[in-house]
Every structure is written in C-alpha cells, then in structure tokens.
Amino acid sequence: MKIFLFITCVLFSTHVLAAEEQYQFNSANEEQLFKELTLELRCPKCQNQNIADSDAVVAKDLRDKVLELVKEGNNKQQVVDYMIDRYGYFVHYKPPITPLTLLLWILPLLFVVVGFVVIFVRQKQQKNRQTSWSQQDEQKLNDLIAQYQESK
C-alpha cells in the first residue's frame, strides 16, 4: 500500500519539475525593456495572446529574438519596427493609424449609415405612394361582396 502511495505522489508531482525560461540580462533596464516588449507584442500563432504568456514555439522564438535585439542595444521602437517588418502590423497590439486601418474602421460605419439612409428613403417613398380609394375600387368591392353572399 505504501508503495502505491509513493508511486501516486511521484506521478502527480512531475509538473513541479517543469522548467521556466530564465533569461540573463546585463542591466535592470534591459530586463524592464524586455518585459515591456514581450507584453506588447502579439503571438502570431495564438492571435490574442502576447508573447510573454504564450507557450507556442513561435512565441519562444520571438522572445529569444527580442532578448537578442535588446542585448544588442536596440531601443523599444527599433525592436517593434523589426517585428512589424518581419510579421506585419498584426504582431503589435498598438498598430499605427494608416489609410488602410482608417478604411477598416470607417467602412463598416459607412455601411450602417448608407443602410439607414436607404431605409429612410424607402419609407418616405411608401408614404408618398399611398393609393387613394377610387369609386371603381368601391364598386368592385361591392360586386365581390354581393357574389360572395350569393354563393352562400
């Protein structure tokens, strides 16, 4: 029984042996810059997770590259520019305002406004097209009522 308990404890405690990545920095400023960048850069595979929190292989590669660039003496903007050049604006949580991003924000709003204008114009046209009840229509209705009552 004791051996079974021992084996169970060993099997359930293997996660304790999992190693966490340890990075060596030359200064506290490098460490701070590395932390800021890894929280600000998005994992291309995970899409909605920063590279600091992601366990994807590409995120580890990005963390290693950020560390390399920081140790080379690059500032924050230079590292971000390098990542954007390599992976596109998607890799950065704060993409710059460009004509394309403006189009992506304005186009849906424009569709909504155009939709409301179309609905408004159609309702206005339907109000203007109100048909008047003519004497001929009244006569036809009376004839139909009479035919219906005769058929009963």
Side-chain angles (χ1 to χ4, degrees):
M1 183 66 177
K2 289 182 182 182
I3 189 119
F4 177 72
L5 183 61
F6 175 74
I7 292 173
T8 305
C9 289
V10 168
L11 288 176
F12 285 114
S13 64
T14 55
H15 71 282
V16 174
L17 301 175
E20 188 174 310
E21 293 176 328
Q22 296 294 322
Y23 293 105
Q24 300 297 323
F25 299 96
N26 297 330
S27 69
N29 289 339
E30 281 185 1
E31 184 175 3
Q32 180 63 29
L33 180 59
F34 176 79
K35 286 181 182 178
E36 286 178 22
L37 286 165
T38 56
L39 290 173
E40 193 173 309
L41 295 172
R42 185 187 324 227
C43 175
K45 183 177 180 185
C46 307
Q47 294 187 357
N48 212 12
Q49 196 174 22
N50 59 37
I51 62 173
D53 298 333
S54 176
D55 291 331
V57 175
V58 70
K60 184 191 179 327
D61 292 343
L62 285 172
R63 285 191 299 269
D64 292 343
K65 189 62 179 179
V66 168
L67 178 66
E68 178 186 323
L69 292 171
V70 167
K71 284 189 173 187
E72 288 175 1
N74 293 311
N75 64 23
K76 184 176 181 178
Q77 191 58 47
Q78 289 171 326
V79 174
V80 169
D81 289 343
Y82 174 86
M83 293 297 175
I84 288 174
D85 287 342
R86 185 154 184 199
Y87 295 99
Y89 288 119
F90 178 79
V91 79
H92 195 235
Y93 275 117
K94 301 173 188 171
I97 296 175
T98 63
L100 181 62
T101 56
L102 283 175
L103 184 67
L104 289 174
W105 281 97
I106 292 173
L107 203 57
L109 294 174
L110 188 64
F111 281 137
V112 170
V113 169
V114 168
F116 279 127
V117 167
V118 167
I119 290 170
F120 179 75
V121 167
R122 292 189 115 188
Q123 285 182 345
K124 197 88 160 159
Q125 286 175 350
Q126 283 181 351
K127 277 186 177 179
N128 291 340
R129 270 194 279 156
Q130 284 183 341
T131 56
S132 59
W133 194 256
S134 68
Q135 194 66 20
Q136 288 179 335
D137 293 331
E138 187 71 33
Q139 184 60 40
K140 285 181 184 176
L141 178 63
N142 289 334
D143 289 345
L144 288 172
I145 290 172
Q147 286 177 1
Y148 176 72
Q149 288 177 347
E150 288 176 6
S151 67
K152 271 188 171 180

